[in-house]
Amino acid sequence: MHDAPVNFLANLKFACSTRRSISDLCRVVGVNRQQFNRYLNAGTLPSAHNRLRIAAAFGLDPADFNLAPHAFQRKLTEKSRPAMDAGPLDDAFPGDLRALRPHLGFYQTWHVSLSWRGQVVCSCAHMREKDGQVVVTTLERIFDPERGISQRSRYVGLAAYQRQRIFLTELTRGEAPTFGQTILMPFELHQRRYLRGLTMGISWRNNNMPYATRTIWRHLGLTANKRSLLSACGVYAPASASLPSAVASFLADVLPFTAATAAL
């Protein structure tokens, strides 16, 4: 155990050498650069909480940083090899993790539908931090008795904070998965409840037509009544009293922009 702090410093320096920059790593870990420099240059041992975050950024356990350097380097190399082959977007997510953290939690979301033309679809979403990434899950529950339709959709993906915007890329679960993409404006200085933006996808009831439309998300906090969230999901008329006034005004007189519109 006497060598643990010495090994930690050597192993941390080696781990940092595998990353593009210390600044990028600090954003992922959520530690400011000045504090991180104390770990590297002054030999200051991070708190247990920060050791956990640093280890998670490399897909390791905190105890791994106490290994002998040759054992640590071998383990880190083996652990990172699949990630290096994963693709060109590895460094895109989560972007500025510190800026993204205030937006974590549960949301009720609304957008103008192309499948139910002129109607507003209400869904629910959850953004949570996991292993240095921000995972987003969106659920849709739609029951249309007139058409005999009962639709349940689940999207899972990642969120990134880049250039003062929140980018969400999600994939539906099921036999024929499709992508959904959303760009949201961060909370304003004196407004910490609504995120407004644009969502893009394809309409499953309109020949898989690509479309883009406005979306608005209401933040409900880090905890929420999940049963209540799901029960609110569905299709609403734009003038429905169930829509919050901020939602109704933002989505008023908005029709989805489709590929057919672009061809006109």
Side-chain angles (χ1 to χ4, degrees):
M1 291 298 293
H2 178 72
D3 292 332
V6 176
N7 288 344
F8 180 89
L9 177 59
N11 292 336
L12 180 61
K13 287 182 176 180
F14 176 81
C16 290
S17 72
T18 67
R19 291 303 179 96
R20 183 172 57 186
S21 73
I22 299 297
S23 296
D24 285 346
L25 179 58
C26 287
R27 282 192 288 270
V28 172
V29 174
V31 174
N32 66 59
R33 179 66 183 269
Q34 184 178 8
Q35 179 65 35
F36 203 89
N37 283 342
R38 284 197 282 268
Y39 303 153
L40 290 173
N41 302 323
T44 303
L45 190 66
S47 66
H49 177 73
N50 284 344
R51 289 200 300 274
L52 181 62
R53 287 190 178 280
I54 291 170
F58 293 96
L60 299 173
D61 294 322
D64 293 332
F65 280 78
N66 296 331
L67 295 171
H70 68 277
F72 176 84
Q73 292 175 20
R74 183 171 61 250
K75 186 163 189 175
L76 179 61
T77 301
E78 292 172 354
K79 190 74 176 180
S80 62
R81 187 174 295 121
M84 288 188 293
D85 297 332
L89 296 181
D90 291 348
D91 293 335
F93 298 92
D96 190 340
L97 182 56
R98 175 173 294 185
L100 191 52
R101 282 187 178 129
H103 303 91
L104 300 181
F106 289 89
Y107 289 85
Q108 201 83 62
T109 78
W110 296 265
H111 70 275
V112 179
S113 174
L114 183 61
S115 296
W116 280 268
R117 192 166 182 82
Q119 302 293 294
V120 175
V121 171
C122 177
S123 310
C124 58
H126 184 209
M127 281 198 283
R128 67 191 187 280
E129 186 175 344
K130 180 181 179 183
D131 298 331
Q133 301 280 20
V134 172
V135 178
V136 57
T137 303
T138 302
L139 300 177
E140 285 185 358
R141 297 289 187 270
I142 296 175
F143 178 60
D144 186 346
E146 291 186 8
R147 298 176 177 85
I149 294 174
S150 179
Q151 175 192 341
R152 292 172 175 260
S153 300
R154 183 172 184 262
Y155 297 76
V156 178
L158 295 174
Y161 193 103
Q162 304 279 4
R163 297 178 64 88
Q164 299 182 337
R165 297 293 181 266
I166 300 170
F167 295 83
L168 311 176
T169 298
E170 300 174 274
L171 187 67
T172 57
R173 297 305 189 191
E175 296 180 357
T178 62
F179 283 99
Q181 295 178 302
T182 300
I183 302 174
L184 297 169
M185 303 282 286
F187 291 136
E188 298 173 3
L189 182 61
H190 301 295
Q191 188 279 112
R192 300 282 171 172
R193 193 172 189 187
Y194 286 100
L195 300 177
R196 295 171 173 83
L198 185 74
T199 190
M200 295 152 278
I202 63 172
S203 172
W204 68 276
R205 291 189 62 231
N206 196 3
N207 298 320
N208 289 333
M209 182 69 71
Y211 75 96
T213 188
R214 286 185 181 183
T215 187
I216 181 168
W217 292 35
R218 183 172 65 186
H219 189 234
L220 300 173
L222 294 176
T223 60
N225 185 321
K226 297 178 182 178
R227 186 183 298 273
S228 177
L229 276 174
L230 286 171
S231 66
C233 293
V235 179
Y236 294 86
S240 171
S242 298
L243 297 182
S245 59
V247 172
S249 61
F250 183 70
L251 299 180
D253 301 322
V254 172
L255 291 177
F257 183 85
T258 69
T261 308
L264 294 177

